[in-house]
Amino acid sequence: MLSFPITKYSTAKATGTLSTTKNYVYNHVYNSSYLAKVLTTTDQLGASKVAISQKATHVQNGLTSIWYKVTADQTTGWVEAPAFSKIK
């Protein structure tokens, strides 16, 4: 049976600390119903702490991934949860 990815969005108000590894920052949740393009990488954001405004739960082929919409300096985009070392 063919199944399409499901992405559910919710409001979140938090601060996140990005890990030192390089992760992509997208304009939309990757593989959601929107065509996502890379805006930058987390190591180029210029900030280790970012403001989080939304959370997305993305389910594809039975696998769930969590994404956060972050803002750092002049950039706002979506980053997958493993890119964070801490969220509070």
Side-chain angles (χ1 to χ4, degrees), residues 44-70:
Q44 292 179 341
L45 281 178
S48 63
K49 290 192 185 228
V50 294
I52 296 172
S53 60
Q54 283 185 295
K55 177 181 177 180
T57 304
H58 181 75
V59 180
Q60 183 172 2
N61 298 326
L63 300 174
T64 300
S65 60
I66 304 296
W67 291 76
Y68 294 99
K69 188 173 188 180
V70 302

Side-chain angles (χ1 to χ4, degrees), residues 5-7 9 28-36 58 60:
I6 298 169
T7 306
Y9 298 90
H28 296 290
V29 174
Y30 188 74
N31 275 342
S32 68
S33 59
Y34 301 99
L35 182 61
H58 181 75
Q60 183 172 2

